[in-house]
Amino acid sequence: MSSVIGNKIKLSVFGESHGEAIGCVIDGLPGGIKLDFDKIDKEMARRAPGKDKTATARKESDTPHILSGVLNGVTTGAPLAMTIENTNTKSGDYGNLMAVPRPGHSDYPAYVKYGGNNDIRGGGHFSGRLTAPIVFAGAIAKQILEEKGIKIGAHISRIGGVCDKNFDKNDISPELLDVLSNDAFATISAEKELEMRTVIENARLQGNSVGGIIECAAIGLPVGIGANIFDTVESRFSAALFGVPAVKGVQFGEGFGFAEMLGSEANDGYEIKDGQVSLITNHNGGVLGGMTSGAPIVFSVVLKPTPSISTPQKSVNLQTMENETLVVNGRHDPCVVPRAVPVIEAITALVLLDMMM
Amino acid sequence: MSSVIGNKIKLSVFGESHGEAIGCVIDGLPGGIKLDFDKIDKEMARRAPGKDKTATARKESDTPHILSGVLNGVTTGAPLAMTIENTNTKSGDYGNLMAVPRPGHSDYPAYVKYGGNNDIRGGGHFSGRLTAPIVFAGAIAKQILEEKGIKIGAHISRIGGVCDKNFDKNDISPELLDVLSNDAFATISAEKELEMRTVIENARLQGNSVGGIIECAAIGLPVGIGANIFDTVESRFSAALFGVPAVKGVQFGEGFGFAEMLGSEANDGYEIKDGQVSLITNHNGGVLGGMTSGAPIVFSVVLKPTPSISTPQKSVNLQTMENETLVVNGRHDPCVVPRAVPVIEAITALVLLDMMM
Amino acid sequence: MSSVIGNKIKLSVFGESHGEAIGCVIDGLPGGIKLDFDKIDKEMARRAPGKDKTATARKESDTPHILSGVLNGVTTGAPLAMTIENTNTKSGDYGNLMAVPRPGHSDYPAYVKYGGNNDIRGGGHFSGRLTAPIVFAGAIAKQILEEKGIKIGAHISRIGGVCDKNFDKNDISPELLDVLSNDAFATISAEKELEMRTVIENARLQGNSVGGIIECAAIGLPVGIGANIFDTVESRFSAALFGVPAVKGVQFGEGFGFAEMLGSEANDGYEIKDGQVSLITNHNGGVLGGMTSGAPIVFSVVLKPTPSISTPQKSVNLQTMENETLVVNGRHDPCVVPRAVPVIEAITALVLLDMMM
Amino acid sequence: MSSVIGNKIKLSVFGESHGEAIGCVIDGLPGGIKLDFDKIDKEMARRAPGKDKTATARKESDTPHILSGVLNGVTTGAPLAMTIENTNTKSGDYGNLMAVPRPGHSDYPAYVKYGGNNDIRGGGHFSGRLTAPIVFAGAIAKQILEEKGIKIGAHISRIGGVCDKNFDKNDISPELLDVLSNDAFATISAEKELEMRTVIENARLQGNSVGGIIECAAIGLPVGIGANIFDTVESRFSAALFGVPAVKGVQFGEGFGFAEMLGSEANDGYEIKDGQVSLITNHNGGVLGGMTSGAPIVFSVVLKPTPSISTPQKSVNLQTMENETLVVNGRHDPCVVPRAVPVIEAITALVLLDMMM
């Protein structure tokens, strides 16, 4: 188990879904940063469930409570510890899951790894709820990066068969990123939102769930962050992004599309523009040789469908070692993608800040 | 710059393409392992260029020379240092590149990051040639894993528009992996090899290059390796895989295909088989909640087309700050995918061994 | 700032002396350990102040409150987060210290490093109070080690000019370590306690403080833990021990006494005893070539006198940049050595457990 | 086994005393540093043996051979790999040591740890010879630090019963450090050199060895390097210093002398001097709260007597499990302290550079 990430900014995330509290410790923040609590609250609200039918009807108390590292609203330079109480837990829903692992969840390997001692209620430490402290930490990282002129934003690129327009990789305005970050269901093409919502609602009505893709961008970056061989921007980003539950793929720039491209199509030429070196295109998603090229970082992640579905599934009883049919009760997100948008942005901010400190 | 990776087995890779030598130090190997030099040579040969027209016509001396950590063919437990001399370097080819960055390469960000001091000849430390020590270290890791019953194999899943059959994710035999590893152009469907070679040859004849996808599997793994939140199998694999030049995407199991799937299609049910818990399907690619599920690990990576192409490209002169048209000379791979197959396997072996020590 | 330590067991310590709470997150504990809360409480009580005149008269609420990682008293394998509320803080005492650094404290470099934003009250994150979470985490580590047959104990080796008898390095019984750990003022020679208390009381009456030495031992260790060159037992121990406030020196075995010894006096010969290899002496303190030799680990640390003294001292005002005479008010330990004994043991347990996982 | 150290500048040391070569890889050096090879040679010469009777009569080929990371004498920013051939090895001397561990050496725990596979000849990877690459890397670190106005120097503080004058901790001139670094047997009081040499010669004539203390200083440091709780200057220094063979104790400032001091004697007051905050004394050795105070860093290390002595010693035969008397042949240093002076300086430079990058 390692719920700690980062070299200079170390984030340690703790808590279980149905335990007393979740939270995090952020180690390495500089002193003297006046925290913007409105922005933190806004980011927390973007991730919080219960807003509409695309997400679980659970109401979660996502109020961060700071224990250390902040004095009169300003960081002291000491580790910033934060907790969020778990107030709305219906543990009764999880009775039959102790011995019968839910398909697609961590239950079975966690049972083997922790000898059956892990807290299975709500997914325990493996719950998507643990992304709340990540969003909190990311909000602080975002604020520090914005003061350096760096902006991050993401949108829902695909839900089931419905695709949003993607970023124009070499021309992403701060205004667009602002608009996206104020949108609870962030798409570039406004008309795609309704279509995507329909796909999600259909899955929900069937007791099913659906996956999707998030595309994320960071603009305003200096050239030369990251390094090969093993400390590339892509390495650092992907290691953190795969820490987000349900993420099963990460690609930069054209990503898997590169397989079909010729070198002459994939290479990004250079030109002098306003006296500066500028990339003519940005197929490489802002990363060359593992380092930032100066163009926007653009990557996408795929999230699998929520494994908690109410349709009956084949499983086994780990105590009797017999086959069993499982129906997962409880309140679940038919699609985690909309709520994951601020999480992906938060990871982006945390990794970038760590690499730039 | 960090060319070091691993926690318990630390691999430090060094060298520049046109310097005196490249090599690596492997720290943390247990004592008492009788190295199988035939296997090491075989893996080195799989990666070496010059075998046919799909790769550069350069002949590279890829003979590893061990300096320490091995006594009478057996590991001593001390760091194993190895060098490979660079004997066949035509540095004259790189004269005009000092000031004019090649599109798609590390040249421009490296110029900014290292103040123009990096060795640009052959890509310097950013060269694909640096994967030779990775393959060497991976061959040793493979040998140790095989003694634990773990086997690794990969194939070319796609070149341009031509797709190989993919692994049957829940039924991968050691025999198939053996066959693939003896194949210089590894495909599952033998008839796809010719089609892929045609795509590559066409690119070569046009002075162009083409990308592709490699699918890799590891079988025989225990349940429960890896852990959330940030020490997942996917995090560790992707961080290392993005260290391989040209890799621009990593996906596990159905990967980006999950976006179109419903939960009921994506979840892998369980059944009791021969008295053991067994997964009925393996859409998740052997990883659940960041941990191995006992099913084969199956993932794929995309490699972009070799950026070095002989067709004229738009670039700039970093000294005069004027636009310039660049023609890259030298001997280059029209497609790096075939030679990258053993590299991806080596990374897989190194990461797995590190996680299992 | 890095308040995180450990490779496999990562301990992240947070909090400021006069903030809302202090605490820690322990990442990497195995699942299934039934915590012995009586032992934890006992260790916390050993460190707590207010027991007698050798320590500050402050009463601190040192009740650990577990937020995560434990279910029904058993570890889940998820990060264990714990907080201790700060209830008895007299912040008024620190008014004049904001601009006038206390000699011997972190105040001046922390002011420069954190731009004057660090919480100076009670020493903030630099306070000895932060050793409470270390003792908590150490109590859990001790419990796990005891189940492996490893026992740790320490005593006050010196206060001012008064020296206790030291450990017989090659013959340390579990019974002796048990006796020491039940003693609030742990000495091997009972008669030395009174002399040491007198030295401390004299310092207290003069508004002064006094330093001392703690000697610590661990028995029951397997041979071969640790490794050279940079992962030696001594490296790992010292790195953690110098994290304890006031520690200014660490030595193993004969330590600085080796300067006066000949090789023939310093070497520890071997003999066969009960069919086992055994060391005849243990001048090296249980560590040879950076690895455990099988003999007890024996080391000592020196703690400087508490810098907070009420006698007037020369300082400067960092705002006016003028010389100033400072009188430090508040309730301070005339000697931190007795209370540091369980802290040194806790560090020993945490480092050993981390090295043995 | 971990022979890798550092966060931003990672040093990986490899080789065995009687293997083909020893060397190191330095990862993370910035590009553009014009290496001063004269200085590197000078530092290598300071450590090299064979200069006089205080050291082994072995002549070692200590010529560093750079394989990568340097182009035309200037660092490229890529990992700098360096090897030193082992040319003068008399392996015949070590025949009887395979089964009979030398007292005071790593032999016995290494035998257990590495299953008898470690290279015992000359101490293998545990040999003091492995400090040659450390001195090489340290010479480069020193050069970079000197360009920042930071100077490092050390002297022999004690050999047996003979003590040199120690540094005036708050008043150390660059000139003094220069003089010391040009002295093959560095003492502050010139007259102590002869006395110390006599002690060493007496030990040598008896087939014995003797220990000693080295005091080291670094001047010109900014305030606020390092941080609590676990990333203190003392933690980082001691972890690296205990990697030097024979080091058994590390102390900062007054070190173990603090045990006898009162707070009023130990605290370092402040005053305004030339408009700057200045410490009146420097008992704390330049470190307060784990951070640099701006005063010189002053610490000392103790080195135990060379364990290789020709007087007969009690040991055991690990194969027959019988007691045996051992006579260690070969050419050994009667005192390693003089040759360790540049090693301690090198470690100091490497740690400081890593903390300041």
Side-chain angles (χ1 to χ4, degrees), chain B residues 3 6-7 16 112 136 153 167 176 204 218 264 289 356:
Chain B
S3 299
N7 292 338
E16 281 119 340
V112 174
F136 169 85
F167 283 124
L176 173 60
R204 191 183 71 85
S264 56
M356 293 180 69

Side-chain angles (χ1 to χ4, degrees), chain D residues 91-176:
Chain D
S91 297
D93 290 344
Y94 295 90
N96 70 326
L97 297 177
M98 291 306 190
V100 185
R102 291 165 299 174
H105 269 287
S106 61
D107 298 359
Y108 171 58
Y111 180 92
V112 173
K113 186 180 187 82
Y114 301 109
N117 295 291
N118 59 305
D119 185 356
I120 202 157
R121 298 169 304 158
H125 188 59
F126 295 84
S127 166
R129 179 151 171 72
L130 271 291
T131 57
I134 293 174
V135 167
F136 170 85
I140 296 174
K142 268 187 177 181
Q143 183 190 333
I144 300 174
L145 290 172
E146 287 200 8
E147 283 161 19
K148 296 174 194 275
I150 296 166
K151 245 186 152 55
I152 292 162
H155 70 108
I156 306 170
S157 168
R158 177 172 199 156
I159 299 283
V162 184
C163 296
D164 189 22
K165 196 183 155 209
N166 272 341
F167 282 124
D168 177 347
K169 295 188 186 63
N170 210 21
D171 183 18
I172 303 175
S173 70
E175 292 73 26
L176 173 59

Side-chain angles (χ1 to χ4, degrees), chain C residues 258 261-269 281 283-284, chain D residues 102-105 209 304-309 313:
Chain C
F258 276 121
M261 294 169 81
L262 296 173
S264 55
E265 298 164 334
N267 284 351
D268 300 309
T281 54
H283 299 298
N284 283 282
Chain D
R102 291 165 299 174
H105 269 287
S209 62
K304 69 177 184 178
T306 320
S308 294
I309 54 176
Q313 298 180 84

Side-chain angles (χ1 to χ4, degrees), chain B residues 80-351:
Chain B
L80 192 165
M82 183 276 295
T83 59
I84 299 172
E85 270 187 80
N86 289 328
T87 52
N88 186 5
T89 51
K90 281 203 187 171
S91 297
D93 289 345
Y94 294 90
N96 70 325
L97 297 177
M98 291 306 190
V100 185
R102 292 166 298 175
H105 269 288
S106 61
D107 298 359
Y108 171 58
Y111 180 92
V112 174
K113 185 181 188 81
Y114 301 108
N117 294 290
N118 59 305
D119 184 355
I120 203 158
R121 299 169 303 156
H125 187 59
F126 295 84
S127 167
R129 179 152 172 71
L130 272 291
T131 57
I134 292 174
V135 168
F136 169 85
I140 296 173
K142 268 188 176 180
Q143 183 189 335
I144 301 175
L145 290 172
E146 288 200 6
E147 284 161 18
K148 296 175 195 273
I150 296 166
K151 245 185 151 55
I152 292 162
H155 70 109
I156 305 170
S157 166
R158 177 171 200 155
I159 298 284
V162 184
C163 296
D164 189 21
K165 195 181 156 209
N166 271 341
F167 283 124
D168 177 348
K169 295 190 186 62
N170 210 20
D171 183 18
I172 303 174
S173 69
E175 291 73 26
L176 173 60
L177 300 183
D178 277 340
V179 168
L180 291 173
S181 78
N182 282 311
D183 190 347
F185 196 104
T187 54
I188 297 179
S189 306
E191 67 273 19
K192 291 296 178 184
E193 178 177 337
L194 190 63
E195 289 182 51
M196 289 178 177
R197 283 185 182 274
T198 305
V199 171
I200 297 172
E201 179 64 6
N202 285 344
R204 191 183 71 85
L205 291 173
Q206 296 162 28
N208 217 328
S209 62
V210 64
I213 296 174
I214 292 169
E215 190 187 35
C216 184
I219 61 172
L221 292 159
V223 179
I225 299 172
N228 81 334
I229 295 182
F230 295 116
D231 204 26
T232 71
V233 168
E234 292 120 327
S235 294
R236 297 288 295 276
F237 269 69
S238 64
L241 289 164
F242 277 117
V244 178
V247 169
K248 294 297 282 188
V250 176
Q251 60 183 2
F252 289 79
E254 302 295 338
F256 280 85
F258 277 121
E260 289 178 87
M261 293 170 83
L262 296 173
S264 56
E265 298 164 333
N267 283 350
D268 300 309
Y270 296 97
E271 65 184 347
I272 300 295
K273 207 168 152 181
D274 305 329
Q276 303 283 324
V277 177
S278 177
L279 282 92
I280 299 169
T281 53
N282 185 23
H283 300 297
N284 282 281
V287 189
L288 288 168
M291 295 168 290
T292 51
S293 67
I297 290 184
V298 185
F299 67 91
S300 55
V301 297
V302 63
L303 291 100
K304 69 176 184 180
T306 321
S308 293
I309 53 176
S310 57
T311 43
Q313 298 181 83
K314 289 185 185 166
S315 187
V316 296
N317 186 308
L318 296 169
Q319 273 143 27
T320 64
M321 289 299 271
E322 286 176 353
N323 290 332
E324 200 158 304
T325 298
L326 178 71
V327 175
V328 179
N329 296 316
R331 301 153 296 170
H332 303 290
D333 298 83
C335 184
V336 294
V337 177
R339 290 179 60 203
V341 170
V343 179
I344 299 302
E345 290 178 22
I347 292 278
T348 303
L350 286 162
V351 174

